[in-house]
Amino acid sequence: MHKTQPHHQDFYSLCKSHMNKYVLAETSDGRQFDGIIVDVDAENVILAVPMASNDMSVYQDSQMANQRQWGWYGFYPPYGYYGYGFRPRFSRLVLPLAALTALSVLPWF
């Protein structure tokens, strides 16, 4: 148990020093995630991860569900509806600091 506290503190400091940078995070189960560190707290790091083109269908489905549930007010769809200039390019991913095993800064190109 004494090992987890320094591990937490090390990754907290590392993530804080790389705020707003594009990184590759590896978890203890071997999965890797690339994204931009947007926030860090005592327990978690939050990444903005790029959405793949197949993730767009999930976003579109959620927009259509909202439309069916709430309907449009007036003739035009709500502001920011997909197809009117807004398309999310990133989604948020929350990773526990305890699960991190590696963090590397990646180039932007």
Side-chain angles (χ1 to χ4, degrees):
M1 267 208 221
H2 297 285
K3 294 284 185 188
T4 58
Q5 191 64 16
H7 172 80
H8 252 43
Q9 192 61 30
D10 292 343
F11 275 107
Y12 175 81
S13 300
L14 187 62
C15 290
K16 270 300 219 195
S17 69
H18 293 310
M19 282 286 292
N20 301 315
K21 293 184 181 171
Y22 190 56
V23 297
L24 177 67
E26 186 172 339
T27 57
S28 56
D29 61 358
R31 295 187 304 171
Q32 296 181 337
F33 304 95
D34 62 305
I36 301 166
I37 297 178
V38 293
D39 196 15
V40 181
D41 62 25
E43 298 295 320
N44 301 306
V45 58
I46 300 173
L47 299 176
V49 294
M51 290 181 69
S53 60
N54 58 351
D55 292 338
M56 281 292 130
S57 63
V58 172
Y59 173 72
Q60 289 171 343
D61 291 344
S62 71
Q63 287 295 317
M64 293 306 287
N66 285 340
Q67 175 190 347
R68 283 191 301 270
Q69 181 177 2
W70 303 107
W72 288 340
Y73 298 103
F75 180 75
Y76 295 101
Y79 177 74
Y81 178 72
Y82 180 74
Y84 283 86
F86 175 74
R87 184 179 88 185
R89 307 210 182 214
F90 295 91
S91 63
R92 292 171 56 95
L93 175 68
V94 179
L95 295 175
L97 288 174
L100 289 180
T101 57
L103 188 75
S104 307
V105 177
L106 297 174
W108 274 98
F109 53 117

